[in-house]
Amino acid sequence: MIQIGLIVNPVAGLGGSVGLKGTDGMVEEALRRGAEPLSNERAKTALRGLLPLKDEAVIYTGSGDLGEASARSLGFETQVLHETSGSTGAGDTRALAKKLALRGVDLILFAGGDGTAADMYEAIGEKHPVLGIPTGVKIYSPVYATTPAAAGELARLYLTGFRSELEQAEVLDIDEEQYRLGRVDVRLRGYLSVPRKNRLIQGRKAPSLLSEQAAADAIAAAVIRDMEQDVCYLIGAGTTTYRVTERLGLAGTLIGVDLICNKQLIEADVYGSRILELAAGRPLKLVLTVTGGQGFLLGRGNQQLTPAVLQAVGKDNIIVIATQLKLASLGGRPLLLDTGSEETDRELSGYYKVIAGHNRYIAAKAE
Amino acid sequence: MKRIDRSKKVRTGFHQAKWDEPIIFELSTPGERGVSVPKASAAVAAAVGDGISDLPDHLKRKERVNLPEISQNRVLRHYMRLSQMTLGADVNIEIGQGTCTMKYSPKVNEQLARLVADMHPLQDEDTVQGMLQMYYEMDLYMREISGLDKFTFQPGGGSQAIFLMASMVRGYFESIGEADQRTEVITTLYSHPSDAAAPAVTGYDIVYVQPDPDTGLPDLEAFKAVCSEKTAAFMVANPEDTGLFNGHIKELVDYAHSVGALCCYDQANGNAVLGVARAKEAGFDMCHFNLHKTFSSPHGCSGPACGAAGVVEKLIPFLPVPSVEFDGKKYRLECDFADEEHGVSKVRAFMGVAPVVLRAYCWIRMLGPNGLWQVTKTAVLNNNYLFKRMMSIPGISAYYEDGNNQRVEQCRYTMEQVTKDTGITSGDVQRRMMDFGMHFWTSHHPYYLPEPITLEPTESPSKKDIDEYVDTVAHIIQECYQTPDIVKAAPHRSTIHQVDERWMDDPDGWAITWKIYNRKYK
């Protein structure tokens, strides 16, 4: 029997249709403006993609609007693991996610937006296979499929073993207050494991020797090979940079900045002044990758690297790493700098030889 | 009886042969023989020996050779069937394999090339004067075509020619004491992947320059930023896979020279420049041509090929040996020009793949200088006609299309709009094209442009051929919108149907020989 988890954030997307740029804390305002809840309808679009599996699948979900109603309306065998009465909230998403992970379902489908993804990450971390059905107003996190129908299709491929690989995708969150004021400030909240959408061999294509994962491993090996004695290395946030820490066997962090020296961890999850304190007197290098979907090198998900730290490092000591596919996805657009200091941005702008594999570099501009 | 209806524009009735043919090892029957070799008779053995006893012990097999045991007619049938299941260059309108320069190979050249089969590379020079003359004159022709000063025909393929160029770069810098300092080779993202792969094999670090997002040409500013005293060489194709010719290539070459680097021109596909532009005038120090592309010798799927590599005067000592020289009376093999310490000396046995060189020689002789120029003019005209027609298919477009960027001999298109509208990818269309007996190539991986299609007509197809090809593409694009399931499930009329590609990037699952297959899949 295939066990599918389903979590619907019933109010996701409510704000969008009435000109609000998100729904966090704005449910009542949205309803007052006449918004119609559509999240369950869109979740059903995704579930229709799983209808071929109906006879061999059970959907575990929450009561009513949390998923039960949608699953039952399409005729799926449905079991309720989490009861709620009246209005639902982020607490329900988190509680249900924990129960589904504990139950060990094959894949948790969750319908919502960036806020919902952040709740999922908080509840179950990056290990359990999940997939987002996009129903929210703003969706920057690549944990979501591109459309509800695409989510259904990808879930079916995954559950039937046609796509068995998982990849860690970013959970990004925008400060909605700032976004409503027209300022975009993306934070990296964590990672979720989702079925791999794209491989280095895109679509169904000829074989390629290196999968994206192997490319990331080769990059990590190259960084480690070139590490110098008694130089402090700051390892920035991101899956590609995390491979470096992982490969060294160190207990670093995925979304934090870690400081290592002579292949030993000095301290995990360091920030601003603490970095300068720890590295005092020793040469400092910084390993960064491209984060945040839009190609940010600095300023998204790595605010711990303050202008003071970056000044201490200097452009020549910044090592940028990224797979060829990741850079290609930027379509030739430059890497972005937003350190909070115009002067620092200016000093760090220019070309970097991005490490893209064993002895492979790609010249990329940062600005 | 009625007249046959020929009003259809596309071959909806095509079906490729499918023989369900096993691997030849599976056809083996113990004891079955193709040829029964008789033992030497007593009289023969007494006169010259039995042909076996004289073999030294270390050359004799200890075990039976593991080859299929099969009769002649079964062998013939097997390979005839396989050939029918192949979509070869002589049976389809070969426009769909962009960058490969799949032109027609005149059959008369094939006949001449077969004469070489009876020769041996160790024959005395006096007995192969004609072949040596051919090599000698071929060198002169390639000098004229490129403007460079000497050529070798030893590399057995394009990648091996690039490998040779990278090796000569290393040899040159060793000879002037800069080999330790110069550790990097710069190439561009739209150059052939071998321009990165081959120098990487020789130990160089590879630095890619990305295209300018507006023009599609290598970003000059980025190039200057990464060019330094660490740069050993700049390896580049022009035009690149996009079919855009970089009229400012000399600026990049000059800049590379200003930091002391050498410049190598990948002209594997030289079909856009014959009689129009030369490596010399652009300032290059080396170049290579694939004789099995531009010069009409057939492609062999990693089989017999030739990457003719040429150099400027100062690099002649680094070429492999021997070369063919002529004293006015006699042609001879010569090794004296080589730098024994830093030269490459060999990349392949003897003189390379002689039949390939001979076919190309015949082709050049038949066309003459004006004919070569006509080849390029026709190839570019064909491609621009193809381009106009392709661009008129709804959903197909091209990047870097600002009016100043005329394509030369090929083009990388995109069907991103079709994919957005229908979810059908260029990989799906590629498989569907097999149902009409045609190739349709996407691009190297990873894709730099979304949903790519790379087409190159060469000078060979007629207007009618090009029209049929484009009509077939248009027919399938229409299917994408109207009957998408047919395209997604394709091919339906090819030798095989869709393969399960789940395991394709898992090396542990690969079985590239019969022996490995038997070991892994008992």
Side-chain angles (χ1 to χ4, degrees):
Chain A
M1 216 55 178
I2 298 170
Q3 303 191 359
I4 304 167
L6 174 67
I7 303 174
V8 179
N9 171 1
V11 298
L14 212 50
S17 62
V18 290
L20 299 172
K21 288 174 178 163
T23 315
D24 297 3
M26 306 294 282
V27 176
E28 282 172 21
E29 172 65 15
L31 290 171
R32 197 185 61 74
R33 292 191 189 185
E36 299 242 357
L38 288 171
S39 193
N40 263 293
E41 277 311 307
R42 306 193 76 190
K44 273 158 77 176
T45 304
L47 290 180
R48 279 190 198 100
L50 294 172
L51 282 174
L53 309 178
K54 200 167 75 177
D55 295 339
E56 39 180 329
V58 186
I59 294 188
Y60 293 92
T61 182
S63 63
D65 272 358
L66 281 175
E68 183 193 3
S70 293
R72 283 203 197 285
S73 73
L74 292 173
F76 282 97
E77 185 184 336
T78 307
Q79 290 199 22
V80 174
L81 292 188
H82 177 76
E83 294 278 355
T84 176
S85 53
S87 63
T88 59
D92 291 303
T93 303
R94 290 197 285 260
L96 178 52
K98 278 185 187 151
K99 286 174 186 170
L100 291 169
L102 203 63
R103 170 101 212 168
V105 297
D106 299 311
L107 178 73
I108 304 175
L109 285 165
F110 64 96
D114 283 339
T116 318
D119 290 333
M120 292 295 295
Y121 170 70
E122 259 182 56
I124 58 170
E126 66 249 10
K127 295 285 180 245
H128 201 93
V130 302
L131 179 62
I133 305 167
T135 66
V137 179
K138 53 173 184 51
I139 293 171
Y140 284 78
S141 309
V143 296
Y144 284 95
T146 45
T147 61
E153 168 87 1
L154 185 56
R156 187 175 57 77
L157 291 174
Y158 176 76
L159 291 167
T160 51
F162 194 79
R163 292 272 170 81
S164 52
E165 281 171 85
L166 292 169
E167 67 181 350
Q168 298 207 311
E170 295 160 317
V171 176
L172 304 169
D173 204 10
I174 285 190
D175 182 332
E176 292 195 1
E177 290 286 336
Q178 294 291 317
Y179 190 63
R180 286 189 196 103
L181 297 170
R183 289 196 288 265
V184 179
D185 181 19
V186 183
R187 287 203 298 145
L188 175 62
R189 295 288 293 265
Y191 289 84
L192 288 171
S193 283
V194 299
R196 187 175 285 272
K197 284 171 286 217
N198 261 328
R199 301 191 291 184
L200 188 59
I201 53 169
Q202 290 148 341
R204 302 147 158 177
K205 296 286 157 29
S208 162
L209 281 176
L210 288 179
S211 70
E212 193 66 356
Q213 224 171 11
D217 279 336
I219 293 169
V223 171
I224 293 167
R225 179 198 61 194
D226 293 340
M227 279 187 168
E228 296 165 52
Q229 193 71 16
D230 298 328
V231 173
C232 286
Y233 287 87
L234 281 165
I235 312 293
T239 46
T240 317
T241 41
Y242 184 60
R243 295 230 164 229
V244 176
T245 345
E246 226 176 17
R247 211 179 161 88
L248 287 170
L250 305 176
T253 58
L254 188 56
I255 59 169
V257 174
D258 304 326
L259 186 68
I260 60 181
C261 187
N262 296 333
K263 299 180 185 170
Q264 296 301 317
L265 185 67
I266 304 293
E267 194 166 306
D269 207 4
V270 289
Y271 55 90
S273 53
R274 179 71 182 151
I275 295 172
L276 297 173
E277 201 181 304
L278 287 166
R282 281 183 286 191
L284 192 56
K285 292 195 178 197
L286 169 60
V287 182
L288 286 178
T289 188
V290 184
T291 56
Q294 306 115 309
F296 274 94
L297 195 56
L298 282 164
R300 298 289 181 275
N302 49 22
Q303 281 91 342
Q304 304 95 319
L305 300 166
T306 57
V309 171
L310 295 167
Q311 295 280 352
V313 174
K315 179 171 186 281
D316 292 346
N317 291 315
I318 296 179
I319 300 160
V320 183
I321 64 179
T323 62
Q324 201 179 346
L325 187 63
K326 181 119 187 187
L327 280 181
S329 72
L330 299 179
R333 294 193 310 276
L335 310 178
L336 303 174
L337 301 171
D338 183 15
T339 62
S341 149
E342 279 184 31
E343 194 196 337
T344 310
D345 288 351
R346 206 166 37 246
E347 281 174 21
L348 300 183
S349 66
Y351 284 91
Y352 287 85
K353 278 201 290 192
V354 178
I355 302 177
H358 176 69
N359 293 3
R360 301 269 171 140
Y361 304 85
I362 298 178
K365 192 181 194 175
E367 62 179 40
Chain B
M1 165 143 181
K2 293 191 297 185
R3 271 189 80 78
I4 303 164
D5 179 11
R6 296 287 185 214
S7 61
K8 275 186 302 186
K9 283 181 160 181
V10 299
R11 290 171 200 258
T12 48
F14 170 84
H15 203 303
Q16 181 129 24
K18 173 177 180 167
W19 282 102
D20 243 351
E21 187 68 4
I23 305 280
I24 194 160
F25 283 94
E26 295 171 278
L27 298 173
S28 179
T29 308
E32 192 170 310
R33 288 289 175 273
V35 181
S36 299
V37 184
K39 283 195 172 150
S41 66
V44 171
V48 293
D50 63 8
I52 295 171
S53 308
D54 290 347
L55 278 177
D57 271 352
H58 71 276
L59 287 182
K60 285 183 188 162
R61 284 190 169 275
K62 305 284 179 286
E63 292 152 26
R64 288 183 79 90
V65 59
N66 183 22
L67 288 174
E69 299 176 67
I70 183 166
S71 66
Q72 282 190 27
N73 57 342
R74 294 182 72 208
V75 171
L76 180 66
R77 200 160 61 214
H78 176 71
Y79 286 107
M80 286 303 284
R81 286 172 173 177
L82 293 190
S83 75
Q84 289 178 1
M85 300 203 308
T86 306
L87 194 54
D90 285 341
V91 294
N92 82 99
I93 298 173
E94 196 66 286
I95 286 175
Q97 300 202 70
T99 80
C100 293
T101 320
M102 302 299 294
K103 63 177 64 180
Y104 174 65
S105 306
K107 297 307 160 212
V108 64
N109 298 347
E110 192 59 44
Q111 257 180 317
L112 287 164
R114 287 184 185 195
L115 299 177
V116 183
D118 294 332
M119 304 176 105
H120 194 281
L122 289 177
Q123 265 175 257
D124 188 274
E125 283 170 11
D126 286 335
T127 67
V128 289
Q129 283 291 299
M131 272 308 274
L132 295 182
Q133 181 183 352
M134 186 280 290
Y135 267 100
Y136 180 79
E137 290 177 0
M138 191 63 177
D139 178 18
L140 300 183
Y141 300 158
M142 299 312 286
R143 292 185 200 182
E144 189 60 35
I145 289 166
S146 66
L148 301 191
D149 298 319
K150 196 173 180 64
F151 271 77
T152 177
F153 301 95
Q154 209 174 76
S159 297
Q160 201 173 32
I162 300 169
F163 178 82
L164 167 63
M165 291 201 286
S167 304
M168 288 194 286
V169 167
R170 186 174 292 286
Y172 170 75
F173 285 116
E174 275 172 5
S175 77
I176 61 168
E178 291 183 15
D180 292 340
Q181 162 200 333
R182 297 192 183 268
T183 54
E184 294 178 353
V185 166
I186 300 175
T187 184
T188 65
L189 226 114
Y190 286 139
S191 287
H192 192 278
S194 289
D195 290 319
V201 170
T202 69
Y204 282 112
D205 289 348
I206 306 303
V207 183
Y208 290 94
V209 174
Q210 302 192 83
D212 179 297
D214 296 324
T215 66
L217 299 173
D219 179 348
L220 182 61
E221 204 193 329
F223 180 76
K224 287 181 174 173
V226 295
C227 225
S228 72
E229 70 291 340
K230 286 167 82 176
T231 310
F234 173 42
M235 294 241 178
V236 68
N238 186 30
E240 295 175 293
D241 285 359
T242 48
L244 295 169
F245 184 82
N246 184 357
H248 301 286
I249 192 74
K250 194 162 187 303
E251 280 178 52
L252 282 86
V253 169
D254 288 348
Y255 193 83
H257 282 155
S258 76
V259 299
L262 293 173
C263 294
C264 313
Y265 191 174
D266 174 350
Q267 295 194 278
N269 176 353
N271 228 32
V273 297
L274 294 177
V276 178
R278 305 198 303 176
K280 180 186 181 176
E281 280 71 28
F284 283 96
D285 304 291
M286 305 182 199
C287 76
H288 91 278
F289 292 95
N290 283 4
L291 300 187
H292 51 284
K293 285 186 175 175
T294 313
F295 297 91
S296 101
S297 205
H299 291 45
C301 275
S302 306
C306 175
V311 296
V312 293
E313 182 91 41
K314 73 170 176 183
L315 297 173
I316 289 175
F318 304 95
L319 280 171
V321 295
S323 73
V324 179
E325 304 299 335
F326 182 54
D327 60 11
K329 285 185 192 143
K330 195 183 152 185
Y331 297 91
R332 63 191 157 74
L333 296 172
E334 178 64 69
C335 298
D336 280 357
F337 64 88
D339 179 329
E340 276 186 31
E341 198 183 339
H342 306 294
V344 170
S345 76
K346 283 282 178 199
V347 286
R348 193 185 169 95
F350 304 114
M351 301 287 288
V353 187
V356 176
V357 186
L358 179 57
R359 279 191 208 98
Y361 174 85
C362 300
W363 191 77
I364 292 172
R365 287 295 299 257
M366 282 197 295
L367 286 162
N370 286 327
L372 293 182
W373 188 37
Q374 191 63 45
V375 161
T376 284
K377 285 200 289 187
T378 311
V380 172
L381 179 67
N382 276 352
N383 185 51
N384 279 276
Y385 176 68
L386 174 74
F387 182 78
K388 288 280 180 224
R389 285 222 51 202
M390 282 294 291
M391 296 290 276
S392 70
I393 300 175
I396 290 186
S397 60
Y399 276 69
Y400 321 122
E401 183 40 20
D402 67 358
N404 300 320
N405 281 333
Q406 195 197 12
R407 260 67 183 182
V408 278
E409 92 296 16
Q410 61 182 328
C411 180
R412 182 157 296 158
Y413 304 86
T414 176
M415 52 172 275
E416 144 180 62
Q417 189 58 47
V418 178
T419 308
K420 275 184 192 153
D421 295 342
T422 66
I424 291 172
T425 65
S426 59
D428 294 325
V429 175
Q430 181 177 41
R431 279 183 283 101
R432 179 62 175 154
M433 284 292 277
M434 306 308 272
D435 286 337
F436 297 85
M438 287 172 184
H439 290 127
F440 182 89
W441 190 54
T442 55
S443 148
H444 303 289
H445 297 266
Y447 292 165
Y448 199 76
L449 295 178
E451 302 308 327
I453 308 163
T454 313
L455 309 179
E456 178 190 9
T458 77
E459 71 280 13
S460 300
S462 65
K463 178 175 174 297
K464 230 175 159 177
D465 290 340
I466 298 174
D467 284 338
E468 182 181 339
Y469 189 86
V470 179
D471 288 340
T472 308
V473 175
H475 177 84
I476 293 172
I477 297 298
Q478 200 174 21
E479 285 184 335
C480 293
Y481 288 91
Q482 293 173 354
T483 50
D485 290 344
I486 289 181
V487 184
K488 281 184 189 166
H492 307 276
R493 305 192 295 255
S494 187
T495 301
I496 51 168
H497 293 297
Q498 271 189 30
V499 281
D500 181 353
E501 294 175 338
R502 263 178 294 174
W503 320 112
M504 278 202 176
D505 61 355
D506 173 18
D508 291 339
W510 293 348
I512 51 172
T513 66
W514 179 246
K515 200 170 166 183
I516 295 172
Y517 171 73
N518 278 326
R519 196 179 70 221
K520 288 190 178 176
Y521 299 95
K522 279 173 191 150

